[in-house]
Amino acid sequence: MSHTTLLRSLALAAVVLVTAGAAAGQQSAAEKLGAVNFPVACNPAAQAEFARAVAALHSFWFDTAGKAFEAVAAGDPSCGMAHWGAAMTLLGNPLASPPSPKALQGGWAAVEKARAAGARTQRERDYIEAIAAFYKDAGTVDHRTRALAYEKAMEQLAARYPEDREASIFYALALNVTLVPTDKTYANQLKAAAVLEKVFAEQPNHPGVAHYLIHSYDVPPLAPKGLDAARRYAAIAPSAPHALHMPAHIFTRLGYWQESVDSNRASAAAAKDHGNWLHAMDYMTYGYLQLAQDGEAKRGLDAVQALGLPNNEYIGSAYALAAVPARYALERRRWSEAAALSLHPREFPWGRWPMAEAVNAYARGLGAARSGDATGARREADRLSALRDVLATAKQGYWADQTEIQRQAVIAWATRVEGKPEEALALMLRVVELEDKTEKHPVTPGPIVPPRELLGDMLLDMNRAAQALQVFEASLRGEPDRFHSVAGAARAAELAGDSARARQHYARLLTIAAKADGERPELRQASAFLGR
């Protein structure tokens, strides 16, 4: 039998809508994970459970996926692809951070089990060898080199089996894993999206396609293209907490704050693990703060701070623990509160996540500088310098660069406080230049404070309203409807004597914050101006 004929015959048994009543009987009656067509040469019961496992994997529901792949192996010990699935699950979220040393060891062990169990088709053996390219020599070969090897293997696999849409989908994910954040042509993202859009037209209920399209378009210039996938993904796989969260990536890029809040509220309610819950809480708090719903944001902050010691295996946990308090203080412009922030919880192993600890130092540094304490700000800049060096030594170049951007922003504002406005402005312009060369990480809804917004604030502080207006409006093109960028643009236009633009921005501010529950002086200014 030819490969194509075998694949098509297997597909007759493999097309599984992973919802109520699926053949494996392993999921609850209410479970909905989307439609997956991934035929493998395992027994029929194992095949049905395999499709469910892959559907969960595509939505980064790793606990469920891992247990389902275990059930496949138990139901058909000769199904090598069950162990391929285990190896894929141990990648964790490959877009967030490299697997831990423990996960790397487990992944290689799963590859060896897959090889030992055997695979009945060359296609399945190719899948196993593709993931082996990632785990091989993990102790001596750096993460990016292995990720690129996996991407190349998946490219070859997808080309070898063009009728196998799963190969194409996993190849698209690999392209997003290996993208370069400084590539402003978005070559990998667009290549991945081109593959995924084709499959989406054929398989509109596929969870992985919707998920990876959102990631492919999670940059300001491409975000409008991701709105269709964002609107559909939560309905495709509502049982997976990450699927409920992911639309917020696009909603945040477009300034759709209420939609982002709603997505993350649903995700947090469904999450059974700290990682997904904290990640959703960070995005949700960010959205509430843009809506000036500070009371709701405070409830989110309180919930995060009431949490005990979370799982430290996931960057999202560490990042949210530092980011939620930082955002709550800085977005409300409570500078002294920001300057006094402490790490929560104190017993968390922050040394494992220097990029998260840097968020705390950044907030403290900005808070100190904006409170007039240049000495305190420079102390936090020194802390950021040390954290940057730790990240650089660990070969985490992206996060080292982000920490350097934060360090320079704190120094710029400290310099302003020290009475050196032109030097401070030159430093802040450099920060904006550095930020423009990179993109945000998927773990965060956006910069803790966008550098261009900080530049606008500095220009306003220096009575350069016309320049500040241009800067705030430029910031809004990348970060639409951010509360303080809109407020800054309105105030700058008012001071520059441009009443029409001031009226436009103030009106927009009141629309964004129509359900505000916090005390924001910017809203009083807007109402006063529009009332005149």
Side-chain angles (χ1 to χ4, degrees), residues 427-444:
L427 287 168
M428 200 63 234
L429 285 166
R430 172 62 177 159
V431 173
V432 170
E433 181 183 344
L434 290 172
E435 177 71 18
D436 283 349
K437 291 179 179 177
T438 188
E439 289 293 342
K440 80 163 191 76
H441 190 276
V443 79
T444 175

Side-chain angles (χ1 to χ4, degrees), residues 256-336:
Y256 293 3
W257 305 120
Q258 189 60 55
E259 289 92 334
S260 178
V261 163
D262 293 343
S263 292
N264 287 293
R265 187 191 297 113
S267 178
K272 300 292 192 296
D273 62 285
H274 290 153
N276 274 312
W277 183 80
L278 281 165
H279 187 54
M281 293 300 287
D282 185 18
Y283 271 74
M284 184 171 71
T285 303
Y286 184 72
Y288 275 134
L289 289 166
Q290 303 318 310
L291 295 168
Q293 293 182 19
D294 298 338
E296 294 289 351
K298 179 61 163 59
R299 280 184 274 279
L301 171 66
D302 290 344
V304 168
Q305 294 191 323
L307 181 69
L309 191 66
N311 185 345
N312 64 14
E313 294 293 321
Y314 176 48
I315 186 177
S317 299
Y319 195 91
L321 287 173
V324 172
R327 297 189 200 284
Y328 183 70
L330 293 172
E331 295 287 354
R332 291 161 45 253
R333 303 265 168 136
R334 302 299 198 269
W335 306 123
S336 59

Side-chain angles (χ1 to χ4, degrees), residues 362 384 388 398-411 428 430-438 449 451 454:
Y362 181 47
L384 286 164
R388 176 205 60 204
Y398 172 83
W399 287 113
D401 290 345
Q402 293 300 308
T403 304
E404 175 62 9
I405 290 170
Q406 294 170 334
R407 185 188 75 86
Q408 291 196 29
V410 170
I411 289 175
M428 200 63 234
R430 172 62 177 159
V431 173
V432 170
E433 181 183 344
L434 290 172
E435 177 71 18
D436 283 349
K437 291 179 179 177
T438 188
V449 182
L454 288 174

Side-chain angles (χ1 to χ4, degrees), residues 41-67:
C42 304
N43 68 43
Q47 168 67 80
E49 184 68 359
F50 183 84
R52 173 178 177 260
V54 174
L57 175 64
H58 277 310
S59 288
F60 291 177
W61 202 9
F62 300 117
D63 286 348
T64 295
K67 291 173 183 175

Side-chain angles (χ1 to χ4, degrees), residues 126-169:
D126 289 342
Y127 267 101
I128 293 167
E129 292 310 310
I131 191 59
F134 175 81
Y135 284 110
K136 183 181 179 183
D137 299 326
T140 56
V141 178
D142 68 274
H143 170 76
R144 179 160 180 80
T145 298
R146 291 181 290 104
L148 287 168
Y150 172 67
E151 179 211 306
K152 185 67 175 176
M154 287 308 303
E155 180 182 25
Q156 293 170 348
L157 196 155
R160 190 175 301 130
Y161 308 105
E163 70 279 20
D164 181 357
R165 294 295 183 248
E166 289 298 311
S168 297
I169 294 165

Side-chain angles (χ1 to χ4, degrees), residues 2 44 49 76 103 199 205 320 340 411-412 497 525:
S2 72
E49 184 68 359
D76 187 347
V199 182
N205 292 313
I411 289 175
Q525 280 183 333

